[in-house]
Amino acid sequence: MSVNTYDGRVQDLLQTMLLIRAYEERAAALQAESGVPGTCTSVGQEASAVGVVAALGADDLILTNHRSAGHLLARGADPGRLLAEVMGRRAGYCKGKSGSLHISAKELGVILTSTIVGGELALATGVGLSQKMLKRPGVVVCFFGDGAACEGRFHESLNLAAVWQLPILYVCENNQWQAFVHRRETMLGDSIASWATPYGIDSATVDGNDVEQVRALATEALDSIRASGRPFLLETRTYRLRGHFEPDDQAYVDPDELAAWRARDPLPRLQARLLESGQLDARALSAMESDAQRRIDAAVAFAIDSPYPAIDELVTDVYA
Amino acid sequence: MSVNTYDGRVQDLLQTMLLIRAYEERAAALQAESGVPGTCTSVGQEASAVGVVAALGADDLILTNHRSAGHLLARGADPGRLLAEVMGRRAGYCKGKSGSLHISAKELGVILTSTIVGGELALATGVGLSQKMLKRPGVVVCFFGDGAACEGRFHESLNLAAVWQLPILYVCENNQWQAFVHRRETMLGDSIASWATPYGIDSATVDGNDVEQVRALATEALDSIRASGRPFLLETRTYRLRGHFEPDDQAYVDPDELAAWRARDPLPRLQARLLESGQLDARALSAMESDAQRRIDAAVAFAIDSPYPAIDELVTDVYA
Amino acid sequence: MAHMTVQEAIDQALAEEMARDPSVLLLGEGVATKRRALVDAFGAERVRNTPLAEGIIAGTAVGAAATGLRPVIDLLFAPFLCYAMDELVNSAGKLRYLSGGQFSFPLVTMAMTGAGWGVGAQHNHNVEAWFAHAPGLKVVMPASVADFKGLLKAAIRDQNPVLFFIDIGLAYTSGDIPDGEHLVPLGQAVVRRPGEAVTLISYAKTVAVCEQAAQTLAGQGISAEVIDLRTLKPLDEASILASVRKTGRAVIVHEASRSGGIGAEVAATIGEHAYDALKAPVLRLAGPDAPAPASYPLEQAFVPQPDAVVAAVKRLLG
Amino acid sequence: MAHMTVQEAIDQALAEEMARDPSVLLLGEGVATKRRALVDAFGAERVRNTPLAEGIIAGTAVGAAATGLRPVIDLLFAPFLCYAMDELVNSAGKLRYLSGGQFSFPLVTMAMTGAGWGVGAQHNHNVEAWFAHAPGLKVVMPASVADFKGLLKAAIRDQNPVLFFIDIGLAYTSGDIPDGEHLVPLGQAVVRRPGEAVTLISYAKTVAVCEQAAQTLAGQGISAEVIDLRTLKPLDEASILASVRKTGRAVIVHEASRSGGIGAEVAATIGEHAYDALKAPVLRLAGPDAPAPASYPLEQAFVPQPDAVVAAVKRLLG
Ligand SMILES: Cc1ncc(C[n+]2csc(CCOP(=O)(O)OP(=O)(O)O)c2C)c(N)n1
Ligand SMILES: Cc1ncc(C[n+]2csc(CCOP(=O)(O)OP(=O)(O)O)c2C)c(N)n1
Ligand SMILES: [Mg+2]
Ligand SMILES: [Mg+2]
């Protein structure tokens, strides 16, 4: 079983965040330089992904959206197989059929990456129902964006999960953007967490760029779900530091907003805190960084070496 | 223009409620006795329909759902043409093509009866947008049920109306049932009005079996919409006293619940109040009742006499 | 042999499969109210009324199917499938493929459709062809009471998402069902009446229309073979082609609108693969490209009638 | 003549129609961001970014169309239409009929689809045939830059709901557009290349595949006529039949899955109405009944290629 679980060490969180950042930036560079298919990177959102996933147990299950590389890597995905999938290679998690946008990895308990915005919300209730009816211990974590919260499925999913008391942790990664539309153009308020209240679902909001806070709140939320059997909504306030999909020059983004959030980039923030508190020294950090880069170098080499699927794979796996 | 508008007289409200009750009961009897197509009657909900429609001006527009006869009649629909439509006759509002489930009446400002539960919510924003962009004065009233509130379109519609500031009065006729499912099986709370809060929409709840209270609150809501240009959600608490669709023996309904709501039937309640306060005497009431019956007798005669559409109508009106 | 209605056949199929396999469960608006006996037999956990929200009913079924349950969902009327298209098409139909075969989606979606109740176009729209044009799905639409039972049981056991359409006009008809375990495999058409001069191909309610037409034609010395497709995807091309190769003539009959209906696929398949055997053009008799009207005589006129089938055959033979 | 990309042609069509008719407006996720020049020209009221909710975007358009506006909505990618099926099919397509003609629904729904970007099956699914099988709708899918402009303008002026599909593979190609008012009427196919021995019928990206095949065939002394359908509903049956009556042979080519695709309707129509003129079976070359894969070589293999068209024609002539 290659699922990552985390003990208390904050250094492990940093290590994972560094890996994700290195992966995402390399994926973007490969797109720009070598015409590798573009991806929706999670640069800037690493703390949200790692903080939540680090709170999970091995039995918990994940559904996520198009911006899923961070969730997958935090859960223990092999960056080589991930990149192979992005490149449509046979060694990818889905034999190259998915590409970056629909990656699932059964061995990691990642049931779904939905690129239909809202698809993760629609299926999460079913996975929750399986957990409940088959008396399996794991909680279902459903990552979705502030954009997905505008889809009707948000309403339908949360209401059903509340009525049927399904063990689901909804995690809204509110990164202020919905592709080329700012969140403010799509809702009057600023809180998506509060949208849970009418359904009778408890919720909380957390600084999504602070991995320790995210992990603390996610742990609390998971505990409450395990104890009560009821769903919970956690909103992580964060920001999409690169564009929506590579390439994207973000010409439409207010530079002041972007600058303000760059100043809150979760990686330097965590690094500075750990360096200051003495939990990390410069040498260890640089070793971690090189380690991440090495793993990504190896991943790229693996993915590029991996063959494309044979043409007859075009029509396999359609029916069981 | 045959749109009904109402001045302050409560007797007019009673008269209209009597007409609706007489119409609905006759429709049910015709189904049982003569095999006329079944309908979703609004028996028990007359106060909600009449109270809201009586608050409207001639310019206001209506979208409604499968339980729309009360809204149509309150707005001034000819019971003969309504019944003709139910029976699929040429003289019906929609040439018999709709039957009871999709009746619109442009001349009355009734844009839509949607039998897709949620369709009225989906289209209401567009009608509201037309009113706003074309600078027309009328408010858009969208009647929907507690069941429709569970559809994702509720969420999408209210959120968009809030963000775009559309002049829409959402009226949730919460009659405790969603076809064969009790409302309590579909949501944890008891208040649909409170579901509006996260979107930034004001709301109110009213005893939907008290026509004067409904009219008062609808008038306030409409005033606020006209003043602010913003949507409003009014929840009318009421009950479906007959079954979902004729015939329906309601064997699945808790007899105590049904009895409790029968005791709050809006018609006897209003009659008693008016008789007590001297706004009505028994003779006047009985004259009103016979008048309603006479109109329905005439309507039945008209509808039955009305021919079916010619067969070549099968393929007309598909395209403009 | 037991005599029962289609509703009873469906209940029986559900009860047998729920008894056989504890992972089977039934979800939908009112299923627990309307199929009370199933609640009594299998408990409220496995027969669940839902909120009125087709999208999440279907989504729940897809998620549950991926993770060990075997849901049957009742979405009531075919036009309501429009609210669940994403879950059925983009998730149930595609995610097995997109996952490289990691997950399967054994689930059955039931819906009624068709003329007969005068409920109009927002309840009555024959959209089975849409799902035949969506990868990863199977589509079933029975014509006989026995097939309602046998196909539903097979659909529940299938490892793939199956759309199970119930023709409203048949929903309360009755007929005989073989005793014991009665399974009808998906993907197999059946010859309802053998014949030599022409093949009448249909499914659902209009199979009976073809049978009536065949009867009339027999009286006039014309021998018509009637094929009931039963499964619309995968289409039983072998049975269709074998019959048409024998008769040389085909008329396809269904109630769904003509343009882009199942009949188009059947006609195109015949035209491509039985070309040499054809003695006449392949004709389609189908509903018009119009929404279904509520008005009784118009609704009747929507459905192809036996005399039109007879006339079409005579045109082919004339 | 002006040379421009498809995106520019779409912008130009929108700008011209918005200038001509103040009731035209554009709604969608990001339309105001991506078509900034239209905001500048016509104001933020008429070019509106929306929340991420396809159902209400479409519903808003339908309600607005019924009451005096003329909306164009951009739903981005065809699979996302699944979230708007109810509004497009049950409301836009049916309510004119169900209202007995009281209301009309002039609205245009744009969506991209097709192979070329490796985005996989939740972005790439050619579902145009669904809408051809839904009453009250029109369906357009252009192949040339000039047609993108002319058909979009005509679609905006049409009194009916029109689905306007943009083949991803063409979205950033460029070509010439006639100067001045350039309208292409809906419902008219066009002969892209005249020929005598076989008719190649296609639309969207695979029109070019047919043209390439025709070129190759010409080099081998075989004269192929290429028809670009342009509008898929209403289908220009007269043009199709005229050509096939002349050539006696037809190959239909599209990228959408074979089973139940537009090709089935075209083949069935030819088989019924040009039977006497046929010298060979009508063939279809289409995408497989599989979701669209992301992997580059698989995605390429999804699309019918010129050599397959050439081979099919030779089979017919051989
Ligand atoms: C149903 C659907 N509509 C539109 C899109 C196109 N799209 C892809 S991502 C995206 C923005 C999603 O915003 P959000 O949910 O906030 O996630 P984020 O990208 O910000 O992480 C859009 C509009 C889609 N993939 N699916
Ligand atoms: C989309 C859709 N799903 C299901 C139905 C079947 N149906 C018709 S009315 C109804 C109940 C509606 O409940 P509610 O909105 O509360 O209205 P009420 O009937 O109580 O007035 C149902 C389930 C439908 N017509 N449309
Ligand atoms: Mg976002
Ligand atoms: Mg109700």
Side-chain angles (χ1 to χ4, degrees):
Chain A
M1 180 76 143
S2 51
V3 170
N4 267 0
T5 52
Y6 296 75
D7 58 22
R9 281 172 36 91
V10 66
Q11 291 85 347
D12 294 346
L13 307 184
L14 176 60
Q15 180 77 70
T16 306
M17 289 167 67
L18 287 168
L19 182 72
I20 297 172
R21 178 67 58 97
Y23 173 90
E24 295 288 34
E25 290 190 334
R26 191 71 65 87
L30 286 168
Q31 190 284 320
E33 293 154 18
S34 326
V36 162
T39 55
C40 294
T41 80
S42 63
V43 170
Q45 304 181 203
E46 294 86 351
S48 173
V50 173
V52 172
V53 173
L56 299 182
D59 289 329
D60 297 328
L61 301 175
I62 294 176
L63 295 91
T64 169
N65 66 5
H66 52 281
R67 211 170 293 288
S68 66
H71 310 132
L72 283 153
L73 289 168
R75 191 63 171 162
D78 170 7
R81 291 186 62 198
L82 214 51
L83 213 45
E85 188 58 49
V86 170
M87 295 186 192
R89 305 303 171 98
R90 196 160 69 191
Y93 275 98
C94 306
K95 304 183 186 167
K97 293 181 176 184
S98 156
S100 72
L101 290 169
H102 331 72
I103 301 180
S104 54
K106 199 172 187 174
E107 64 201 84
L108 303 173
V110 178
I111 310 293
L112 174 69
T113 289
S114 181
T115 187
I116 296 291
V117 171
E120 61 292 351
L121 288 159
L123 269 60
T125 43
V127 181
L129 186 64
S130 284
Q131 295 302 88
K132 180 173 174 144
M133 290 187 63
L134 301 174
K135 305 203 184 336
R136 290 189 298 227
V139 168
V140 178
V141 180
C142 177
F143 290 100
F144 64 102
D146 49 299
C150 297
E151 291 279 6
R153 286 306 176 272
F154 169 86
H155 177 73
E156 299 179 3
S157 182
L158 269 76
N159 188 47
L160 188 70
V163 172
W164 285 1
Q165 305 204 6
L166 303 177
I168 304 176
L169 174 60
Y170 291 100
V171 179
C172 181
E173 300 191 306
N174 179 354
N175 65 2
Q176 317 306 325
W177 281 95
Q178 306 169 4
F180 309 107
V181 180
H182 197 281
R183 187 189 53 71
R184 273 193 314 268
E185 291 185 78
T186 71
M187 55 187 71
L188 288 186
D190 281 316
S191 163
I192 288 164
S194 69
W195 287 14
T197 311
Y199 310 114
I201 293 184
D202 291 335
S203 64
T205 302
V206 64
D207 177 348
N209 284 12
D210 182 329
V211 71
E212 291 181 283
Q213 281 193 45
V214 172
R215 186 179 51 175
L217 263 120
T219 304
E220 267 182 47
L222 288 161
D223 287 346
S224 105
I225 295 167
R226 291 191 219 279
S228 69
R230 293 164 174 281
F232 190 97
L233 170 58
L234 179 64
E235 177 182 356
T236 63
R237 297 251 167 104
T238 181
Y239 200 80
R240 191 191 77 188
L241 287 178
R242 292 190 66 92
H244 165 55
F245 188 83
E246 298 299 318
D248 174 0
D249 64 10
Q250 292 187 284
Y252 53 89
V253 172
D254 172 3
D256 290 341
E257 181 181 272
L258 186 57
W261 280 94
R262 267 202 214 292
R264 307 184 54 216
D265 184 330
L267 272 163
R269 254 174 108 188
L270 179 62
Q271 290 165 12
R273 193 193 302 155
L274 298 189
L275 290 169
E276 248 167 62
S277 68
Q279 292 172 278
L280 192 73
D281 64 28
R283 215 165 45 108
L285 174 59
S286 131
M288 285 166 95
E289 282 171 340
S290 350
D291 184 58
Q293 291 300 338
R294 241 191 331 268
R295 287 191 64 191
I296 300 303
D297 288 342
V300 173
F302 171 83
I304 286 178
D305 272 357
S306 167
Y308 282 109
I311 292 304
D312 56 16
E313 284 280 317
L314 178 59
V315 292
T316 59
D317 298 323
V318 181
Y319 289 95
Chain B
M1 180 74 141
S2 50
V3 170
N4 268 359
T5 52
Y6 296 75
D7 58 21
R9 280 173 37 93
V10 65
Q11 292 83 350
D12 294 345
L13 306 185
L14 177 60
Q15 180 75 73
T16 305
M17 288 167 67
L18 288 167
L19 181 72
I20 296 171
R21 178 67 58 97
Y23 173 90
E24 295 288 33
E25 291 190 331
R26 193 69 66 86
L30 285 167
Q31 190 284 319
E33 293 154 17
S34 325
V36 162
T39 54
C40 294
T41 79
S42 64
V43 170
Q45 304 180 205
E46 295 87 350
S48 173
V50 173
V52 171
V53 174
L56 300 181
D59 289 329
D60 297 329
L61 301 176
I62 294 175
L63 295 92
T64 169
N65 66 5
H66 52 281
R67 212 170 293 288
S68 66
H71 310 132
L72 283 153
L73 288 168
R75 192 59 171 167
D78 171 6
R81 291 186 63 198
L82 215 50
L83 214 43
E85 188 58 47
V86 170
M87 297 186 192
R89 307 303 172 99
R90 196 159 70 192
Y93 275 98
C94 306
K95 303 182 186 167
K97 293 179 177 185
S98 155
S100 72
L101 289 171
H102 331 71
I103 301 180
S104 56
K106 199 171 188 173
E107 63 200 85
L108 302 173
V110 179
I111 309 295
L112 174 68
T113 289
S114 181
T115 187
I116 296 291
V117 171
E120 62 291 351
L121 288 160
L123 269 61
T125 42
V127 181
L129 186 63
S130 284
Q131 295 300 90
K132 180 172 175 146
M133 290 187 63
L134 300 174
K135 304 199 185 340
R136 290 189 297 227
V139 168
V140 178
V141 180
C142 177
F143 291 100
F144 64 102
D146 48 301
C150 297
E151 291 279 5
R153 287 306 177 273
F154 169 87
H155 177 73
E156 299 179 3
S157 182
L158 268 76
N159 188 46
L160 187 70
V163 173
W164 285 2
Q165 306 204 7
L166 302 177
I168 303 177
L169 175 59
Y170 289 100
V171 179
C172 181
E173 300 191 306
N174 179 354
N175 66 1
Q176 317 306 326
W177 281 93
Q178 305 169 6
F180 309 107
V181 180
H182 197 282
R183 186 189 54 70
R184 274 191 315 265
E185 291 185 77
T186 71
M187 56 186 71
L188 288 187
D190 282 316
S191 162
I192 289 163
S194 69
W195 287 13
T197 311
Y199 310 114
I201 293 184
D202 291 334
S203 65
T205 302
V206 64
D207 177 349
N209 283 12
D210 182 329
V211 71
E212 290 182 284
Q213 280 193 45
V214 173
R215 185 178 53 176
L217 261 118
T219 303
E220 266 181 46
L222 288 161
D223 287 347
S224 106
I225 296 167
R226 290 189 220 281
S228 69
R230 291 165 176 280
F232 191 98
L233 170 59
L234 180 64
E235 176 182 357
T236 64
R237 297 250 167 104
T238 181
Y239 200 81
R240 192 192 76 187
L241 288 177
R242 293 190 66 93
H244 167 54
F245 188 80
E246 297 300 319
D248 175 0
D249 64 11
Q250 289 186 283
Y252 53 90
V253 172
D254 172 2
D256 291 341
E257 181 181 273
L258 186 57
W261 280 95
R262 266 202 215 294
R264 307 182 57 214
D265 184 331
L267 270 164
R269 252 174 110 188
L270 179 62
Q271 289 165 13
R273 191 194 302 155
L274 297 190
L275 290 169
E276 247 167 61
S277 67
Q279 290 171 281
L280 192 72
D281 61 30
R283 214 164 48 106
L285 174 58
S286 128
M288 284 164 96
E289 283 171 339
S290 355
D291 184 57
Q293 291 301 339
R294 239 190 333 267
R295 286 191 65 192
I296 300 304
D297 290 341
V300 174
F302 171 83
I304 286 178
D305 273 358
S306 168
Y308 282 111
I311 294 303
D312 58 14
E313 284 280 319
L314 178 59
V315 292
T316 59
D317 297 323
V318 181
Y319 290 96
Chain C
M1 282 286 176
H3 195 79
M4 63 183 72
T5 67
V6 164
Q7 288 307 322
E8 288 162 344
I10 290 172
D11 270 328
Q12 208 174 71
L14 290 168
E16 287 179 14
E17 294 307 304
M18 291 182 79
R20 178 179 171 272
D21 181 347
S23 67
V24 176
L25 74 166
L26 180 63
L27 313 176
E29 297 154 13
V31 292
T33 316
K34 288 182 285 181
R35 303 195 190 273
R36 196 73 226 170
L38 293 177
V39 181
D40 295 341
F42 304 104
E45 284 274 299
R46 291 179 64 196
V47 185
R48 290 172 176 253
N49 278 347
T50 62
L52 211 172
E54 289 71 16
I56 200 67
I57 298 170
T60 301
V62 177
T67 51
L69 297 176
R70 206 169 261 281
V72 179
I73 60 176
D74 182 357
L75 294 187
L76 304 180
F77 290 92
F80 311 163
L81 296 177
C82 287
Y83 272 162
M85 281 304 273
D86 172 63
E87 286 73 14
L88 297 174
V89 170
N90 290 324
S91 291
K94 297 176 184 173
L95 287 177
R96 182 181 162 73
Y97 184 83
L98 290 173
S99 73
Q102 293 178 84
F103 294 94
S104 295
F105 298 89
L107 70 102
V108 178
T109 303
M110 302 196 294
M112 294 198 289
T113 183
W117 289 2
V119 281
Q122 288 190 339
H123 278 70
N124 168 15
H125 186 189
N126 298 286
V127 294
E128 55 276 8
W130 287 353
F131 298 96
H133 190 54
L137 304 178
K138 297 186 177 183
V139 184
V140 170
M141 196 158 174
S144 78
V145 177
D147 280 357
F148 271 97
K149 178 173 177 187
L151 287 167
L152 181 52
K153 282 168 65 79
I156 293 171
R157 294 188 195 183
D158 202 277
Q159 276 300 100
N160 301 286
V162 180
L163 279 289
F164 188 91
F165 288 104
I166 302 164
D167 191 320
I168 288 181
L170 301 175
Y172 291 91
T173 58
S174 56
D176 289 330
I177 294 188
D179 296 326
E181 182 84 315
H182 177 60
L183 280 164
V184 176
L186 304 194
Q188 295 188 6
V190 64
V191 174
R192 290 282 171 212
R193 177 188 178 113
E196 301 299 328
V198 62
T199 304
L200 306 180
I201 302 165
S202 189
Y203 60 91
K205 178 194 315 113
T206 45
V207 170
V209 171
C210 291
E211 289 180 302
Q212 278 183 52
Q215 183 97 26
T216 306
L217 288 164
Q220 304 175 17
I222 299 168
S223 159
E225 179 147 306
V226 177
I227 291 188
D228 175 359
L229 294 172
R230 305 201 288 195
T231 298
L232 306 180
K233 184 155 184 193
L235 205 53
D236 183 355
E237 296 189 1
S239 295
I240 296 167
L241 295 174
S243 177
V244 177
R245 285 203 186 99
K246 176 176 73 174
T247 63
R249 297 178 190 87
V251 179
I252 305 151
V253 183
H254 57 59
E255 184 183 317
S257 293
R258 174 190 180 86
S259 170
I262 295 290
E265 180 62 31
V266 174
T269 300
I270 295 171
E272 182 160 348
H273 297 295
Y275 176 79
D276 292 333
L278 282 181
K279 301 176 190 152
V282 176
L283 301 186
R284 288 179 291 161
L285 293 182
D289 284 339
S295 183
Y296 179 78
L298 297 189
E299 197 193 42
Q300 290 300 303
F302 197 96
V303 189
Q305 300 298 327
D307 53 357
V309 179
V310 169
V313 169
K314 292 202 167 161
R315 195 140 59 84
L316 290 190
L317 287 163
Chain D
M1 284 287 176
H3 196 77
M4 64 184 73
T5 67
V6 164
Q7 288 307 323
E8 288 163 344
I10 289 171
D11 270 329
Q12 205 174 72
L14 289 168
E16 287 179 15
E17 294 308 303
M18 292 183 78
R20 179 179 170 269
D21 180 347
S23 66
V24 176
L25 74 165
L26 180 63
L27 313 177
E29 297 154 13
V31 292
T33 316
K34 288 181 286 181
R35 301 194 190 275
R36 196 72 226 169
L38 293 178
V39 181
D40 294 341
F42 304 104
E45 285 274 299
R46 290 179 64 195
V47 185
R48 289 172 177 253
N49 278 348
T50 61
L52 211 172
E54 290 72 15
I56 201 65
I57 298 171
T60 301
V62 177
T67 51
L69 296 177
R70 206 169 262 278
V72 178
I73 60 176
D74 182 356
L75 294 187
L76 306 181
F77 290 91
F80 311 163
L81 296 177
C82 286
Y83 272 163
M85 281 305 274
D86 172 63
E87 287 72 15
L88 297 174
V89 170
N90 290 323
S91 290
K94 296 176 184 172
L95 287 177
R96 180 180 164 75
Y97 184 81
L98 290 173
S99 74
Q102 292 178 84
F103 294 95
S104 295
F105 298 89
L107 68 101
V108 177
T109 303
M110 302 197 295
M112 292 199 291
T113 184
W117 288 0
V119 281
Q122 289 190 338
H123 278 72
N124 168 15
H125 186 188
N126 297 286
V127 294
E128 55 276 7
W130 288 353
F131 299 95
H133 191 53
L137 303 178
K138 297 186 176 181
V139 184
V140 169
M141 197 159 175
S144 77
V145 178
D147 280 356
F148 271 97
K149 177 173 178 186
L151 287 167
L152 181 53
K153 284 169 62 82
I156 293 171
R157 295 188 195 182
D158 202 277
Q159 277 301 103
N160 301 286
V162 180
L163 278 289
F164 189 91
F165 287 103
I166 302 164
D167 191 320
I168 289 180
L170 301 174
Y172 291 90
T173 58
S174 57
D176 289 330
I177 294 188
D179 296 328
E181 182 84 316
H182 176 59
L183 280 163
V184 176
L186 304 194
Q188 294 187 8
V190 64
V191 175
R192 290 280 171 215
R193 178 188 176 112
E196 302 299 327
V198 61
T199 304
L200 306 179
I201 302 166
S202 190
Y203 60 91
K205 173 190 325 109
T206 46
V207 170
V209 171
C210 291
E211 289 180 303
Q212 278 181 51
Q215 185 97 24
T216 305
L217 289 164
Q220 304 175 15
I222 299 167
S223 158
E225 179 147 306
V226 177
I227 292 187
D228 174 359
L229 293 172
R230 305 202 285 198
T231 298
L232 307 180
K233 185 153 182 197
L235 205 53
D236 184 355
E237 297 189 0
S239 294
I240 296 167
L241 295 174
S243 177
V244 178
R245 284 203 187 99
K246 178 178 70 174
T247 62
R249 296 178 190 88
V251 179
I252 306 151
V253 184
H254 56 58
E255 184 183 318
S257 294
R258 174 191 179 85
S259 171
I262 295 290
E265 180 62 31
V266 174
T269 300
I270 293 171
E272 181 160 350
H273 297 295
Y275 177 78
D276 291 333
L278 283 180
K279 300 174 190 151
V282 176
L283 302 186
R284 289 178 289 161
L285 293 182
D289 285 337
S295 183
Y296 179 79
L298 297 188
E299 196 192 42
Q300 290 300 302
F302 198 96
V303 189
Q305 299 297 326
D307 52 357
V309 179
V310 168
V313 168
K314 290 198 167 162
R315 193 140 59 84
L316 290 189
L317 287 163

